[in-house]
Amino acid sequence: MDTARKVIKCKAAVAWEVGKPLAIEEVEVEPPKVHEVRIKIIATGICRTDDHVIKGALEGIDFPVILGHEGAGIIESVGEGVTDLKPGDKVIPLCIPQCGRCSSCLNPNTNCCLKTHLIESQNLMPDKTSRFSCKGKIVYHFLWTSTFSEYTVVPVDAVAKIDDGAPMDKACLFGCGFSTGYGAAINTAKVDPGSTCAVFGLGGIGLSTIIGCKSAGASRIIGIDINKSKFEKAKQFGATECINPEDFTKPIQEVIVEMTNGGVHYSFECIGNTDTMKAALESCHLGYGTSVIIGEAPSAAQISFSPLMLFTGRTWKGSIFGGWKSKESVPRLVTDYMKNKFNLDGLVSHTLPFVQINEGFDLLRSGKSIRTILMF
Ligand code: APR
Ligand code: ZN
Ligand code: ZN
């Protein structure tokens, strides 16, 4: 059946309001407009950021909304003016776009395109309308991705075409978790061979950071988590030792400084908590240490810290989407994965049919899962 230019009715998980489980609904998905594509999502991962929205911790999200920003799928149809994508292409929607025209995109030293939600809401398409509706009501987009829907519409600036042979259930991890952690080590910290690293939080982001530290040649990688059931997998991915802050009476930063004779070269915060952001900063060497914030703190969060922490020479950085210019880098990362440059398969702890999405969120909240992949 030729579906192009027609409204498609399909299954989606709708977040009707803050704090409620997602509801599996039949939604209408309009055809793509100019410079947009409609994608049939094949697989999508559940990320902590989606859960933050459900819990109301991120500001500026309109409801009802279709969440999801870690997906992989196939182009179903393209809107006017789309030249670089065609029906049948395997693609990944990008939660950080690469428009190629803004001051960030034109600068080689940042990937933070000004079209991102952090600058301007992505709850609607660029023409300020939605392609989703349900029961006669408008449903908002999320990060322009909305991968918790069998079909979604995405502006071309936020879509990467990937290798035809890529396995979709793993490829979706390049849409957020893997790219974010791996790139923070490789691009943002620029971990060097023989260096020492501390990774706070051993979820999907932290483990991907460990993969990056290891592939950059770090000689010592210390994993930190309050859930010791995360340690085994962290070691499989390359952590040389793992510690639980609850096993010590003194602050974990003091423990790490002692363990490393003055502090690590690189520390990474992969939790999204302001206390651990400070602990990670204090864990790196006072002169040459670099600390990278990867975790997304609640919108209202603030940090106070002594300027002496930086005065002595430390560097404090943030990393969004691993520093990758998304549209051009994601295809290369997927190709590298297919050439076995790194192995991320262990990040997928659970696979569920899409309709069991709320069970997937329960697994995340209970600390039992790394990544749950939902299959349509
Ligand atoms: N100290 C140490 N570890 C902690 C602490 C703490 N105070 N609080 C939580 N953790 C651990 C959890 O036990 C868990 O293993 O941090 C890990 C976080 O992992 P996930 O919840 O699976 O989150 P992840 O998907 O890896 O994302 C981490 O990055 O993109 C952001 O929004 C995302 O803020 C989140 C962060
Ligand atoms: Zn994410
Ligand atoms: Zn841009």
Side-chain angles (χ1 to χ4, degrees), residues 294-360:
I294 313 173
E296 191 165 2
S299 309
Q302 302 274 318
I303 295 189
S304 69
F305 67 101
S306 163
L308 287 175
M309 279 296 141
L310 301 181
F311 190 60
T312 51
R314 286 186 181 92
T315 303
W316 208 1
K317 296 177 129 183
S319 182
I320 189 164
F321 198 63
W324 303 105
K325 283 188 182 284
S326 58
K327 189 163 169 125
E328 67 185 56
S329 306
V330 164
R332 279 191 235 128
L333 282 168
V334 172
T335 304
D336 283 349
Y337 163 69
M338 293 184 68
K339 289 183 188 153
N340 293 317
K341 196 170 157 193
F342 37 73
N343 189 345
L344 49 79
D345 299 359
L347 294 175
V348 179
S349 57
H350 299 77
T351 305
L352 291 175
F354 174 69
V355 290
Q356 282 169 256
I357 187 165
N358 286 312
E359 282 171 47

Coordinates of all heavy atoms in Angstrom, one line a residue, residues 294-360:
I294 N 28.3 14.7 32.2 CA 27.5 14.1 31.1 C 26.1 14.0 31.5 O 25.2 14.2 30.7 CB 28.1 12.7 30.7 CG1 29.6 12.8 30.5 CG2 27.4 12.2 29.4 CD1 30.2 11.4 30.3
G295 N 25.9 13.7 32.8 CA 24.5 13.5 33.3 C 23.7 14.8 33.2 O 24.3 15.9 33.4
E296 N 22.4 14.6 33.0 CA 21.6 15.8 32.8 C 20.9 16.0 34.2 O 20.1 15.2 34.7 CB 20.5 15.5 31.7 CG 19.7 16.7 31.4 CD 19.0 16.6 30.0 OE1 19.0 15.5 29.4 OE2 18.3 17.6 29.6
A297 N 21.2 17.2 34.8 CA 20.6 17.5 36.1 C 19.2 18.1 35.9 O 18.9 18.6 34.8 CB 21.5 18.6 36.8
P298 N 18.3 18.0 36.9 CA 17.0 18.7 36.7 C 17.2 20.1 36.3 O 18.1 20.8 36.7 CB 16.4 18.5 38.2 CG 17.2 17.4 38.8 CD 18.5 17.4 38.2
S299 N 16.2 20.6 35.5 CA 16.3 22.0 35.0 C 16.6 23.0 36.1 O 17.3 24.0 35.8 CB 15.0 22.4 34.3 OG 14.6 21.4 33.4
A300 N 16.1 22.9 37.3 CA 16.2 23.9 38.3 C 17.5 23.8 39.1 O 17.7 24.6 40.0 CB 15.0 23.8 39.2
A301 N 18.3 22.8 38.9 CA 19.5 22.5 39.7 C 20.5 23.6 39.6 O 20.7 24.2 38.6 CB 20.1 21.2 39.4
Q302 N 21.2 23.9 40.7 CA 22.3 24.8 40.8 C 23.4 24.2 41.6 O 23.2 23.3 42.4 CB 21.9 26.1 41.6 CG 20.6 26.8 41.1 CD 21.0 27.8 40.0 OE1 22.0 28.5 40.1 NE2 20.2 27.8 38.9
I303 N 24.7 24.6 41.3 CA 25.8 24.1 42.0 C 26.6 25.3 42.6 O 26.8 26.3 42.0 CB 26.8 23.4 41.1 CG1 26.2 22.1 40.5 CG2 28.1 23.0 41.9 CD1 27.2 21.2 39.8
S304 N 27.0 25.2 43.9 CA 28.0 26.2 44.4 C 29.2 25.4 44.7 O 29.2 24.3 45.2 CB 27.4 26.9 45.6 OG 27.3 26.0 46.7
F305 N 30.4 26.0 44.4 CA 31.6 25.4 44.7 C 32.7 26.4 44.9 O 32.6 27.6 44.5 CB 32.0 24.5 43.5 CG 32.3 25.3 42.2 CD1 33.6 25.5 41.8 CD2 31.3 25.8 41.4 CE1 33.9 26.2 40.6 CE2 31.6 26.5 40.3 CZ 32.9 26.7 39.9
S306 N 33.8 26.0 45.5 CA 34.9 26.9 45.8 C 35.7 27.2 44.5 O 36.1 26.2 43.8 CB 35.8 26.3 46.8 OG 37.1 27.0 46.8
P307 N 35.9 28.5 44.1 CA 36.7 28.8 42.9 C 38.1 28.2 43.0 O 38.7 27.9 42.0 CB 36.8 30.3 42.9 CG 35.7 30.8 43.9 CD 35.4 29.7 44.8
L308 N 38.6 27.9 44.2 CA 39.9 27.3 44.3 C 40.0 25.9 43.6 O 41.0 25.5 43.2 CB 40.2 27.1 45.8 CG 40.6 28.3 46.6 CD1 40.8 28.0 48.1 CD2 41.8 29.0 46.1
M309 N 38.8 25.3 43.5 CA 38.7 24.0 42.8 C 39.3 24.1 41.3 O 39.9 23.2 40.8 CB 37.3 23.5 42.7 CG 36.8 22.9 43.9 SD 37.7 21.4 44.2 CE 37.9 21.5 46.0
L310 N 39.0 25.3 40.7 CA 39.5 25.5 39.4 C 40.8 26.3 39.3 O 41.6 26.2 38.4 CB 38.4 26.2 38.5 CG 37.1 25.5 38.4 CD1 36.1 26.3 37.5 CD2 37.2 24.1 37.8
F311 N 41.0 27.2 40.3 CA 42.1 28.1 40.4 C 43.5 27.3 40.3 O 44.4 27.8 39.6 CB 42.1 28.8 41.8 CG 43.0 30.0 41.9 CD1 43.0 31.1 41.1 CD2 44.0 30.0 42.9 CE1 43.8 32.1 41.2 CE2 44.8 31.0 43.1 CZ 44.8 32.1 42.2
T312 N 43.5 26.1 40.8 CA 44.7 25.4 40.8 C 45.0 24.7 39.5 O 46.1 24.2 39.3 CB 44.7 24.3 41.9 OG1 43.5 23.5 41.7 CG2 44.7 24.8 43.3
G313 N 44.1 24.8 38.6 CA 44.4 24.3 37.2 C 43.4 23.3 36.7 O 43.5 22.8 35.5
R314 N 42.5 22.8 37.5 CA 41.5 21.8 37.0 C 40.7 22.4 35.8 O 40.5 23.6 35.7 CB 40.5 21.4 38.1 CG 41.0 20.5 39.1 CD 39.9 20.1 40.0 NE 40.3 19.3 41.1 CZ 40.7 19.7 42.3 NH1 40.7 21.0 42.6 NH2 41.0 18.9 43.3
T315 N 40.2 21.5 35.0 CA 39.3 21.9 33.9 C 38.0 21.2 34.1 O 37.9 20.0 34.4 CB 39.9 21.4 32.5 OG1 41.2 22.0 32.4 CG2 39.0 21.9 31.4
W316 N 36.9 22.0 34.0 CA 35.6 21.5 34.2 C 34.8 21.7 32.9 O 34.7 22.8 32.4 CB 34.9 22.2 35.3 CG 33.8 21.4 36.1 CD1 33.4 20.1 35.9 CD2 33.0 21.9 37.2 NE1 32.5 19.8 36.8 CE2 32.2 20.8 37.6 CE3 32.9 23.1 37.9 CZ2 31.3 20.9 38.6 CZ3 32.0 23.2 38.9 CH2 31.2 22.1 39.3
K317 N 34.3 20.6 32.3 CA 33.6 20.7 31.0 C 32.3 20.0 31.1 O 32.1 19.1 31.9 CB 34.5 19.9 30.0 CG 35.8 20.5 29.7 CD 36.5 19.6 28.7 CE 37.1 20.5 27.5 NZ 37.7 19.6 26.5
G318 N 31.5 20.3 30.1 CA 30.3 19.5 29.9 C 30.3 18.9 28.5 O 31.1 19.3 27.7
S319 N 29.5 17.8 28.4 CA 29.5 17.1 27.1 C 28.1 16.7 26.7 O 27.4 16.1 27.5 CB 30.4 15.8 27.2 OG 30.5 15.2 25.9
I320 N 27.7 17.2 25.5 CA 26.4 16.8 25.1 C 26.5 15.9 23.8 O 27.3 16.2 23.0 CB 25.5 18.1 24.8 CG1 24.1 17.7 24.5 CG2 26.1 18.9 23.7 CD1 23.2 18.9 24.6
F321 N 25.8 14.8 23.8 CA 25.8 13.9 22.7 C 27.3 13.6 22.4 O 27.7 13.4 21.2 CB 25.1 14.4 21.5 CG 24.7 13.3 20.5 CD1 23.9 12.2 20.9 CD2 25.3 13.3 19.2 CE1 23.6 11.2 20.0 CE2 25.0 12.2 18.3 CZ 24.2 11.2 18.7
G322 N 28.1 13.5 23.4 CA 29.5 13.0 23.2 C 30.4 13.9 22.3 O 31.4 13.5 21.9
G323 N 29.9 15.2 22.1 CA 30.7 16.1 21.3 C 30.6 15.8 19.8 O 31.3 16.4 19.0
W324 N 29.8 14.8 19.4 CA 29.7 14.4 18.0 C 28.8 15.4 17.3 O 27.7 15.6 17.7 CB 29.1 13.0 17.8 CG 29.8 11.9 18.5 CD1 29.4 11.3 19.6 CD2 31.1 11.3 18.1 NE1 30.3 10.3 20.0 CE2 31.3 10.3 19.1 CE3 32.0 11.5 17.1 CZ2 32.5 9.5 19.0 CZ3 33.1 10.7 17.1 CH2 33.4 9.7 18.0
K325 N 29.3 15.9 16.1 CA 28.4 16.6 15.2 C 27.5 15.5 14.6 O 28.0 14.6 13.9 CB 29.2 17.3 14.1 CG 29.8 18.7 14.7 CD 30.4 19.5 13.6 CE 31.1 20.7 14.0 NZ 30.2 21.8 14.4
S326 N 26.3 15.5 15.0 CA 25.5 14.3 15.0 C 25.3 13.7 13.6 O 25.5 12.5 13.3 CB 24.1 14.5 15.7 OG 23.4 15.6 15.0
K327 N 24.8 14.5 12.7 CA 24.4 14.0 11.4 C 25.5 13.4 10.6 O 25.4 12.4 9.9 CB 23.7 15.1 10.5 CG 23.0 14.6 9.3 CD 22.0 15.5 8.7 CE 21.6 15.0 7.3 NZ 20.1 14.9 7.2
E328 N 26.7 14.0 10.7 CA 27.9 13.5 10.0 C 28.6 12.4 10.8 O 29.2 11.5 10.1 CB 28.8 14.6 9.6 CG 29.5 15.2 10.9 CD 30.4 16.5 10.5 OE1 29.9 17.4 9.9 OE2 31.6 16.4 10.9
S329 N 28.5 12.3 12.1 CA 29.3 11.4 12.9 C 28.6 10.1 13.1 O 29.2 9.0 13.2 CB 29.6 12.0 14.2 OG 30.3 13.2 14.1
V330 N 27.2 10.1 13.3 CA 26.5 8.8 13.7 C 26.7 7.8 12.6 O 27.0 6.6 12.9 CB 25.1 9.1 14.0 CG1 24.2 7.9 14.0 CG2 25.0 9.8 15.4
P331 N 26.6 8.1 11.3 CA 26.8 7.1 10.3 C 28.2 6.4 10.4 O 28.4 5.2 10.3 CB 26.7 7.8 9.0 CG 25.8 9.0 9.3 CD 26.2 9.4 10.7
R332 N 29.2 7.3 10.7 CA 30.6 6.7 10.8 C 30.7 5.8 12.1 O 31.4 4.8 12.0 CB 31.6 7.9 10.9 CG 31.9 8.5 9.6 CD 33.1 9.4 9.8 NE 32.8 10.7 9.2 CZ 32.9 11.9 9.9 NH1 33.5 11.9 11.1 NH2 32.6 13.0 9.3
L333 N 30.1 6.2 13.2 CA 30.1 5.4 14.4 C 29.5 4.1 14.1 O 30.0 3.0 14.6 CB 29.4 6.1 15.5 CG 30.1 7.3 16.2 CD1 29.2 8.1 17.1 CD2 31.3 6.7 17.0
V334 N 28.4 4.0 13.4 CA 27.7 2.8 13.1 C 28.6 1.9 12.3 O 28.7 0.7 12.5 CB 26.3 3.0 12.5 CG1 25.7 1.7 12.0 CG2 25.3 3.7 13.4
T335 N 29.2 2.5 11.3 CA 30.1 1.7 10.4 C 31.3 1.2 11.2 O 31.7 0.0 11.1 CB 30.6 2.6 9.2 OG1 29.5 3.1 8.6 CG2 31.5 1.9 8.3
D336 N 31.8 2.0 12.1 CA 32.9 1.5 13.0 C 32.5 0.3 13.8 O 33.2 -0.6 14.1 CB 33.4 2.6 13.9 CG 34.3 3.6 13.2 OD1 34.7 3.4 12.1 OD2 34.6 4.7 13.8
Y337 N 31.2 0.4 14.3 CA 30.7 -0.7 15.1 C 30.6 -1.9 14.3 O 31.0 -3.0 14.7 CB 29.3 -0.3 15.6 CG 28.5 -1.5 16.1 CD1 28.8 -2.1 17.3 CD2 27.3 -1.9 15.4 CE1 28.0 -3.2 17.7 CE2 26.6 -2.9 15.8 CZ 26.9 -3.6 17.0 OH 26.2 -4.7 17.4
M338 N 30.2 -1.8 13.0 CA 30.0 -3.0 12.2 C 31.4 -3.6 11.8 O 31.5 -4.7 11.5 CB 29.2 -2.6 11.0 CG 27.8 -2.3 11.4 SD 26.7 -2.0 10.1 CE 26.6 -3.6 9.3
K339 N 32.4 -2.7 11.9 CA 33.8 -3.2 11.7 C 34.4 -3.7 13.0 O 35.7 -3.9 13.1 CB 34.7 -2.1 11.1 CG 34.3 -1.8 9.7 CD 35.3 -0.7 9.2 CE 35.0 -0.1 7.8 NZ 35.5 1.2 7.7
N340 N 33.6 -3.9 14.0 CA 34.1 -4.4 15.3 C 35.1 -3.5 16.0 O 35.9 -3.9 16.8 CB 34.6 -5.8 15.2 CG 33.5 -6.8 14.9 OD1 32.4 -6.7 15.5 ND2 33.8 -7.7 14.0
K341 N 35.0 -2.2 15.8 CA 36.0 -1.3 16.4 C 35.7 -1.2 17.9 O 36.5 -0.9 18.8 CB 35.9 0.1 15.8 CG 37.0 1.0 16.1 CD 37.1 2.3 15.3 CE 37.9 3.4 16.0 NZ 37.7 4.7 15.5
F342 N 34.4 -1.4 18.3 CA 34.0 -1.5 19.7 C 32.8 -2.4 19.8 O 32.1 -2.6 18.8 CB 33.7 -0.1 20.3 CG 33.0 0.8 19.4 CD1 31.7 0.6 19.0 CD2 33.7 1.9 18.8 CE1 31.0 1.4 18.2 CE2 33.0 2.7 17.9 CZ 31.7 2.5 17.6
N343 N 32.6 -3.0 21.0 CA 31.5 -3.9 21.2 C 30.6 -3.3 22.2 O 30.9 -3.1 23.4 CB 32.0 -5.2 21.6 CG 30.8 -6.2 21.6 OD1 29.6 -5.9 21.5 ND2 31.1 -7.5 21.6
L344 N 29.4 -3.0 21.9 CA 28.4 -2.4 22.8 C 27.2 -3.3 23.1 O 26.3 -2.9 23.8 CB 28.0 -1.0 22.3 CG 27.5 -0.9 20.8 CD1 26.1 -1.5 20.7 CD2 27.5 0.5 20.3
D345 N 27.3 -4.5 22.5 CA 26.1 -5.4 22.6 C 25.7 -5.6 24.1 O 24.5 -5.7 24.4 CB 26.3 -6.7 21.9 CG 26.6 -6.5 20.4 OD1 26.6 -5.3 20.0 OD2 26.9 -7.5 19.7
G346 N 26.6 -5.6 25.0 CA 26.3 -5.9 26.4 C 25.5 -4.8 27.1 O 25.0 -4.9 28.2
L347 N 25.4 -3.6 26.4 CA 24.6 -2.5 27.0 C 23.1 -2.9 27.0 O 22.4 -2.4 27.8 CB 24.8 -1.2 26.2 CG 26.2 -0.6 26.2 CD1 26.2 0.6 25.3 CD2 26.6 -0.2 27.6
V348 N 22.7 -3.8 26.1 CA 21.3 -4.2 26.0 C 21.1 -5.3 27.0 O 21.6 -6.4 26.9 CB 21.0 -4.7 24.6 CG1 19.5 -5.1 24.5 CG2 21.2 -3.6 23.5
S349 N 20.4 -4.9 28.1 CA 20.2 -5.9 29.2 C 18.8 -6.6 29.0 O 18.6 -7.7 29.4 CB 20.2 -5.2 30.5 OG 19.3 -4.2 30.6
H350 N 17.9 -5.9 28.3 CA 16.5 -6.5 28.2 C 16.0 -6.1 26.8 O 16.3 -5.0 26.3 CB 15.6 -5.9 29.2 CG 16.0 -6.3 30.6 ND1 17.0 -5.6 31.3 CD2 15.5 -7.2 31.5 CE1 17.1 -6.1 32.5 NE2 16.2 -7.1 32.7
T351 N 15.2 -7.0 26.2 CA 14.5 -6.7 25.0 C 13.0 -7.0 25.2 O 12.7 -8.1 25.7 CB 15.0 -7.5 23.8 OG1 16.4 -7.2 23.7 CG2 14.4 -7.1 22.5
L352 N 12.1 -6.1 24.9 CA 10.7 -6.3 25.1 C 9.9 -5.8 23.9 O 10.4 -5.0 23.1 CB 10.2 -5.4 26.3 CG 10.7 -5.7 27.7 CD1 10.2 -4.7 28.7 CD2 10.1 -7.1 28.2
P353 N 8.7 -6.4 23.7 CA 7.8 -5.9 22.7 C 7.4 -4.4 23.1 O 7.3 -4.1 24.3 CB 6.6 -6.8 22.7 CG 6.8 -7.8 23.8 CD 8.1 -7.6 24.4
F354 N 7.2 -3.6 22.1 CA 7.0 -2.2 22.3 C 5.8 -1.9 23.3 O 5.9 -1.1 24.2 CB 6.6 -1.4 21.0 CG 6.2 0.0 21.2 CD1 7.1 0.9 21.7 CD2 4.9 0.4 21.0 CE1 6.7 2.2 21.9 CE2 4.5 1.7 21.3 CZ 5.4 2.6 21.7
V355 N 4.8 -2.8 23.2 CA 3.6 -2.5 24.1 C 3.9 -2.7 25.6 O 3.1 -2.3 26.5 CB 2.4 -3.4 23.7 CG1 1.8 -3.0 22.4 CG2 2.8 -4.9 23.7
Q356 N 5.1 -3.3 25.9 CA 5.5 -3.5 27.3 C 6.4 -2.4 27.8 O 7.2 -2.5 28.7 CB 6.1 -4.9 27.5 CG 5.1 -6.0 27.5 CD 5.7 -7.4 27.5 OE1 5.7 -8.1 26.4 NE2 6.3 -7.8 28.6
I357 N 6.2 -1.2 27.2 CA 7.1 -0.1 27.5 C 7.1 0.3 29.0 O 8.2 0.6 29.5 CB 6.7 1.1 26.6 CG1 7.7 2.3 26.8 CG2 5.3 1.6 26.8 CD1 7.6 3.3 25.7
N358 N 6.0 0.2 29.6 CA 6.0 0.6 31.1 C 6.8 -0.4 31.9 O 7.4 0.0 32.9 CB 4.5 0.7 31.6 CG 3.9 2.0 31.0 OD1 4.5 3.1 31.1 ND2 2.7 1.9 30.5
E359 N 6.8 -1.7 31.5 CA 7.7 -2.6 32.2 C 9.1 -2.2 32.0 O 9.9 -2.4 32.9 CB 7.4 -4.0 31.7 CG 6.2 -4.7 32.2 CD 5.9 -6.0 31.4 OE1 6.8 -6.8 31.2 OE2 4.7 -6.2 31.0
G360 N 9.4 -1.7 30.8 CA 10.8 -1.3 30.6 C 11.2 -0.1 31.5 O 12.3 -0.1 32.1

